[in-house]
Amino acid sequence: MSAPAHPSAARQPVRAAAAAFIGTTIEWYDFYIYATAAALVFGKVFFPTADPFVSTMASFGTFAAGFLARPLGGLVFGHLGDRVGRKNALMATLVIMGVATVGIGLLPSYTQAGMLAPALLLVLRLAQGLAVGGEWGGAVLMAGEHASQRRRTFAASFAQLGSPAGLILSLVAFRLITTLDEADFLAWGWRIPFLVSAVLLVVGYFIRIGVSESPDFAKVLAKQETSEVPAREVLRTAWRTVLLCMGVCTVAIGGIYFTNTFMLAYTTQTLGLDRAMILDCLFAVAIIQLIVQPLAAWFAESLGTSRVLMIAAACSVLAPYPMFMLVSQATPLSIVAGIAIVLVFMATIYSAMAGFISAAFETHVRYSGISLSYQLCGAVAGGFTPLIGTWLSHQYPGQWLPLALFYSALSAITLVSIWGLANHQPRRAASARTVTPAA
């Protein structure tokens, strides 16, 4: 069956940006509903123990496993994206994510299937990790590489908008089912957001199939300049760039799971606040993020990406202290205001960093380069942030200062890395190697 005719070339940049936004929204919805369920449900359904701390840690362990699979997904789909095309890789990630998410919604509980239930949960979570590991880099490049050089930071930010949009959808889905009583919520209610993903999969597929291949990559194919093993070339010739890009992503990735996954468990379990109220607060914060990100990308494009990123990272080092002071007051307004302080700076970094790190790699290895950087960072900063936060709150009960210091450390890594990459890129460009045509 042949693909439908593509729209005119003039419309492709807009369509590519829209497809990147909608596709990543669906992928992140799938990923975030797992994060929400890991904080609220999975400990009880798949890891029931007498100690809620142990159950929560086990649940967050499967959450972390998805992040550990993300670098492999970045490696596999980065290879495909740099060898056969961005579009084909993105179509595959969308299907894998949708099938895995619906599968989670159909799993039996521990009481029904014993150890088989958490084992299957882990397998499907790993599949989610593989899919999202390949998704981010391809979506960023399809949006950015269709745009002009001057507009690439802003265009690439549309892929980043999928994160808050997916979070909003996931919070709405779980907020609707929290009206159920506890027994129904644990028995079947939590499954609904996962099963809805089947509809989103179909929608995303037909939107993405109408976007043409990236013009930049089409030129690489025409000149036969594809790399035989892109990831190997990246790690051999640009490993310093990969490390710096990982550092740039640290607080943007770790921070979102600190505020939306760990804080969900912290406020409901440590502070004893109502689950529905916290979901409402996180929903309001996600709306703020959705508004801030395109504005931040526009400012970065206008004022200079590295300058805006440096300012945001410096402010992010200081932001967790007023956040915890406000969250500790335990009112809806104080919680939203507190988390919003952190989120404004984190969202600024997240929005502008896609174009920033994309420019650090050459076209023929760019998918592999940014995917490895982002996903390796995700495996560490994203996967372990809720675990470290839970451990710190358990080790220092009633004290938020260790948690704030942990967040400041994530921000400091990003600040130093932005400065390092901004100074490293001119040197890298000056010494760029001659590309060898593929065999």
Side-chain angles (χ1 to χ4, degrees), residues 170-192:
S170 71
L171 290 171
V172 168
F174 268 92
R175 183 64 182 88
L176 291 174
I177 60 175
T178 52
T179 56
L180 297 170
D181 62 61
E182 186 74 5
D184 287 339
F185 179 69
L186 293 176
W188 56 267
W190 67 268
R191 301 176 184 274
I192 295 174

Side-chain angles (χ1 to χ4, degrees), residues 253-284:
I253 297 176
I256 195 67
Y257 293 102
F258 189 95
T259 57
N260 290 293
T261 302
F262 165 70
M263 287 298 284
L264 184 56
Y266 175 77
T267 52
T268 56
Q269 296 179 20
T270 302
L271 300 183
L273 302 181
D274 179 66
R275 178 179 63 201
M277 183 190 79
I278 299 305
L279 288 173
D280 288 342
C281 292
L282 292 178
F283 176 79

